[in-house]
Amino acid sequence: MPKNSQKNHKSTIKSINLDSVIRLGIIWFVLVLGSTGLAFRLYQLQIKQGDELSEKAKQQQTYNFRPYIPRRSVVDGRGNIVALDKVVYTVYVHPIMLSEENSIVAEKLANILVDRDKNEILKLLNSKKSGVLLDKTVSEDQGNKIKELGLEGIDLHRRYARFYPQGELFADIIGYVDTEHLGQAGIEYSQQKLIERDVSSVAMKSMLTVKRDGQGAIIPASLPDGIIELDDLQLKLTLDLRLQRAARDALKNQVKKFNAKRGAVIVMDVHTGAIVALASEPTYNPNQYSLYDFALYKNWTVTDSYEPGSTFKPLNVAIGLDEGVINSNSSVLDSPSVVIDGWPIANASKSGQGWVSVTKILEVSSNTGMIHIIQKISGSRYYERLQEFGMDRLMGLDLPFEATGYVKPKEVFTSTKIEPAVTAFGQGLSLTPLKLVQLHAALANGGKLVTPHVVEGLINQNGELESIPKREIKQLFKESSANSVVRMMQSVVDNGTGKAAQIDGYHIGGKTGTAQKHDGRGRYQANAKITSFISILPTDDPQYVILAVVDEPKGGNTFGSTVAAPIVKEVMNSIIRLKGIPPSYPIGLKKEKK
């Protein structure tokens, strides 16, 4: 090889080696610089910002929530569901995202939501491009059908809602829950501790923290143990759906007929205090409670007191018998009127029958006769007996917002003769309708004061009671006195003002009441009254007390016998049929008058 060529070859090699070194140096410099930058960045992320970023990652990867625990179902005495939690969907539509015409989507949705009109849905879809609220309470079945349509632009949000399958039928007792699932009326409020499930897991009592995947879905393995272990207990009531419907229908018809302000019916077992029917009108549908006047949410048989009028007379007769001032064979003066402390008091009939039996006093509902009975008892002793009734004390009901009655202070009551006189025929004092039922049950069961209640207890899936509330029973009247009054009340239906409640084949006791309404300012209203009828079925083996009260009926013939007694008779016929109560004597055989 020529020398010049050798020199050039060596120079080329040197040049190549130099270029390689430079490139390698640049690469190493870049790597060192990158590593230094990466190390610095790692220092910032892991050391300087480590805690902050860890917290952000935790927030993105986990989800804190308080799980909704479904409330227990509520059933009547025969196992019919009257309240339960069920799955519903809130449906939103985003028209801008729909792949089909709004009219086509509206038709498909209307075919599923049968209570919604196609044109109504179309109008909603055309109202705005996104976030159209279609419905808040779409059923689980309807929601699943909407999902099956596979339409883009429809969001379904699943949640639990309280549902009352019987609508307004049990509203006065059940009440309702609000949007926060908290009871606001009825047993949904008063029995919250029984209706809300007991949660043994500490995690379920507070906020839960679970992990989510990249799409935001909860990772099942991160859920705490026992999260879905809920008991199967139900709250059982004493009510009978069949009798409740019969009572409400009878009441509703009569309230409408007389254009009354309101009315109520109560049916109670005289031995246990179990309420088998309780209805008031007007009422509301708890599934749509927000559409009604909030005044309807209260059960006025529990919250409102009134002057009972003549329905209180049998209780006063029982006191007279207990105190020994009269007996079943006593004669009492039924004068047309009397004057007490300068106040004239007359019978409703403005007439009197002279000396008659105690039974006749109740049959004709004599005010003056009752005054003459009570005058035989000292004012202080009579007051003591009224106090034993507990009208100014709570009964301990399982229904909420119970009101007490009112009896004037002892010093006022005993300082004049007029107070005991007006109390003798059921005015000048007040009590709730349910309290009156409790007191009459004491007449029917041999003198025992039982506690009215609608809750039987918690039952398991076999229908066995897991818990039975304890209830006090005390003797209020002598058994002989109570039995005597029941026989007298039977005569009221057979021969007196309660004839409208007669049922062929059955011995029935009852008492009418037509009381003036107090205006709250010390006077009675001229054209306002409360009509009532209370009954014992049957008198030969008392099982039930039935009370009907109709407030401010309109018309010329508005008395306890004409307005309230027909309601009670209709309800008693239903009790006889549904409970299988045997006749007291052969049907069709004329009873012997007493």
Side-chain angles (χ1 to χ4, degrees):
M1 179 181 293
K3 290 182 177 180
N4 289 338
S5 295
Q6 290 180 353
K7 287 180 181 180
N8 290 337
H9 180 67
K10 288 180 180 180
S11 297
T12 300
I13 292 174
K14 286 181 180 181
S15 177
I16 292 172
N17 289 338
L18 181 61
D19 290 343
S20 297
V21 170
I22 292 172
R23 282 196 299 270
L24 186 61
I26 292 172
I27 291 171
W28 275 106
F29 177 76
V30 171
L31 289 175
V32 170
L33 184 63
S35 297
T36 302
L38 180 62
F40 178 73
R41 184 59 179 158
L42 288 174
Y43 166 78
Q44 282 188 315
L45 294 176
Q46 293 187 351
I47 306 300
K48 195 172 182 180
Q49 297 179 304
D51 292 341
E52 178 185 351
L53 294 174
S54 294
E55 184 61 30
K56 285 185 178 180
K58 185 179 179 180
Q59 290 176 1
Q60 292 175 354
Q61 296 168 8
T62 60
Y63 174 51
N64 294 328
F65 72 104
R66 187 185 302 277
Y68 173 70
I69 306 166
R71 293 165 74 89
R72 291 188 176 109
S73 297
V74 181
V75 299
D76 78 340
R78 302 178 72 247
N80 297 296
I81 297 287
V82 297
L84 75 159
D85 274 17
K86 69 172 187 176
V87 173
V88 296
Y89 288 95
T90 300
V91 181
Y92 289 94
V93 183
H94 309 288
I96 196 173
M97 298 174 62
L98 295 174
S99 57
E100 298 181 353
E101 294 292 329
N102 286 359
S103 58
I104 297 175
V105 174
E107 184 173 359
K108 289 181 177 181
L109 292 174
N111 289 335
I112 296 173
L113 307 175
V114 293
D115 59 335
R116 302 292 294 274
D117 180 68
K118 170 190 170 182
N119 294 327
E120 175 197 353
I121 295 175
L122 181 60
K123 185 177 180 181
L124 284 174
L125 298 185
N126 291 333
S127 64
K128 54 182 179 178
K129 294 183 178 181
S130 184
V132 176
L133 175 60
L134 183 62
D135 203 317
K136 281 186 173 182
T137 55
V138 170
S139 70
E140 184 175 20
D141 180 58
Q142 290 173 326
N144 291 334
K145 288 180 180 178
I146 291 174
K147 287 181 181 179
E148 290 171 2
L149 294 176
L151 296 173
E152 292 291 334
I154 297 181
D155 289 338
L156 291 94
H157 300 278
R158 185 177 184 271
R159 63 185 177 86
Y160 278 102
R162 198 65 164 167
F163 179 60
Y164 305 94
Q166 311 302 331
E168 67 177 25
L169 187 60
F170 289 96
D172 313 305
I173 303 100
I174 296 297
Y176 69 95
V177 297
D178 61 16
T179 54
E180 301 297 321
H181 303 286
L182 296 175
Q184 297 297 320
I187 63 165
E188 291 279 24
Y189 176 83
S190 64
Q191 303 303 310
Q192 188 115 310
K193 290 183 178 179
L194 288 179
I195 295 176
E196 287 186 335
R197 283 184 164 89
D198 295 325
V199 185
S200 56
S201 169
V202 175
M204 289 285 282
K205 294 180 182 178
S206 57
M207 298 295 288
L208 291 181
T209 300
V210 294
K211 294 180 180 179
R212 300 193 294 190
D213 61 20
Q215 282 71 45
I218 293 175
I219 300 173
S222 69
L223 292 169
D225 293 335
I227 188 171
I228 58 173
E229 293 178 5
L230 300 174
D231 66 62
D232 59 359
L233 300 180
Q234 295 177 313
L235 185 66
K236 184 179 181 180
L237 304 182
T238 59
L239 301 161
D240 185 322
L241 182 148
R242 303 167 303 170
L243 190 55
Q244 179 74 9
R245 180 171 286 114
R248 186 172 293 285
D249 288 347
L251 175 65
K252 185 180 293 186
N253 291 337
Q254 205 73 340
V255 167
K256 182 179 180 180
K257 177 180 178 180
F258 287 93
N259 192 25
K261 177 181 178 181
R262 59 183 181 176
V265 175
I266 304 170
V267 182
M268 191 177 88
D269 184 310
V270 302
H271 301 290
T272 66
I275 297 171
V276 293
L278 192 163
S280 64
E281 285 289 332
T283 188
Y284 67 101
N285 186 337
N287 293 307
Q288 300 172 308
Y289 66 88
S290 62
L291 302 179
Y292 296 82
D293 186 336
F294 70 90
L296 296 177
Y297 302 158
K298 70 175 184 177
N299 185 335
W300 73 271
T301 67
V302 174
T303 63
D304 292 8
S305 59
Y306 75 111
E307 294 190 1
S310 294
T311 54
F312 200 74
K313 288 174 181 176
L315 303 168
N316 278 325
V317 171
I319 291 176
L321 292 169
D322 269 1
E323 296 302 310
V325 299
I326 55 170
N327 60 51
S328 299
N329 299 315
S330 295
S331 293
V332 180
L333 178 60
D334 174 29
S335 54
S337 64
V338 293
V339 177
I340 306 293
D341 289 344
W343 293 91
I345 300 174
N347 289 329
S349 65
K350 308 300 181 183
S351 63
Q353 300 189 24
W355 290 92
V356 296
S357 67
V358 178
T359 299
K360 179 60 72 173
I361 293 296
L362 289 181
E363 284 180 6
V364 300
S365 200
S366 170
N367 293 339
T368 60
M370 289 306 306
I371 291 172
H372 290 136
I373 292 173
I374 294 304
Q375 282 180 330
K376 297 175 183 292
I377 308 171
S378 70
S380 59
R381 178 55 184 161
Y382 181 41
Y383 190 82
E384 288 176 5
R385 290 307 304 267
L386 292 175
Q387 288 297 106
E388 291 175 10
F389 285 7
M391 288 185 295
D392 57 353
R393 298 189 298 276
L394 298 177
M395 290 181 281
L397 303 178
D398 44 24
L399 289 167
F401 316 123
E402 178 188 356
T404 61
Y406 177 73
V407 180
K408 290 182 180 178
K410 184 175 182 179
E411 58 273 16
V412 175
F413 190 90
T414 58
S415 62
T416 64
K417 293 182 180 179
I418 190 63
E419 294 300 338
V422 295
T423 303
F425 54 90
Q427 298 204 254
L429 80 167
S430 67
L431 42 62
T432 63
L434 197 51
K435 181 65 181 181
L436 183 67
V437 169
Q438 182 196 37
L439 294 174
H440 273 266
L443 294 175
N445 66 24
K448 300 178 185 67
L449 195 68
V450 297
T451 303
H453 60 278
V454 297
V455 174
E456 191 166 337
L458 290 174
I459 58 170
N460 58 30
Q461 60 183 352
N462 298 319
E464 301 164 335
L465 280 169
E466 294 279 323
S467 63
I468 304 175
K470 293 181 179 180
R471 298 181 177 94
E472 181 184 355
I473 298 177
K474 76 171 186 176
Q475 196 74 27
L476 184 63
F477 303 115
K478 293 177 182 178
E479 184 176 358
S480 59
S481 300
N483 292 341
S484 293
V485 173
V486 170
R487 288 192 293 271
M488 294 177 190
M489 292 176 69
Q490 179 184 322
S491 189
V492 171
V493 174
D494 290 346
N495 310 306
T497 59
K499 289 180 180 179
Q502 291 178 356
I503 297 175
D504 187 22
Y506 291 87
H507 291 312
I508 295 166
K511 186 68 191 77
T512 55
T514 306
Q516 292 174 286
K517 288 189 68 174
H518 203 275
D519 66 1
R521 294 175 292 179
R523 296 174 298 183
Y524 289 99
Q525 301 177 56
N527 299 315
K529 55 189 173 183
I530 291 184
T531 60
S532 57
F533 188 80
I534 193 157
S535 187
I536 295 171
L537 173 73
T539 55
D540 46 321
D541 181 21
Q543 299 295 318
Y544 298 99
V545 168
I546 307 97
L547 171 68
V549 184
V550 179
D551 190 4
E552 295 189 22
K554 309 296 190 299
N557 189 30
T558 51
F559 303 97
S561 58
T562 57
V563 178
I567 299 173
V568 172
K569 180 177 180 177
E570 190 171 338
V571 172
M572 287 193 296
N573 274 318
S574 296
I575 295 173
I576 290 168
R577 184 180 70 257
L578 296 172
K579 301 296 184 181
I581 297 178
S584 306
Y585 60 91
I587 295 175
L589 180 66
K590 191 175 181 180
K591 284 188 290 185
E592 181 182 339
K593 283 198 173 186
K594 292 188 173 231

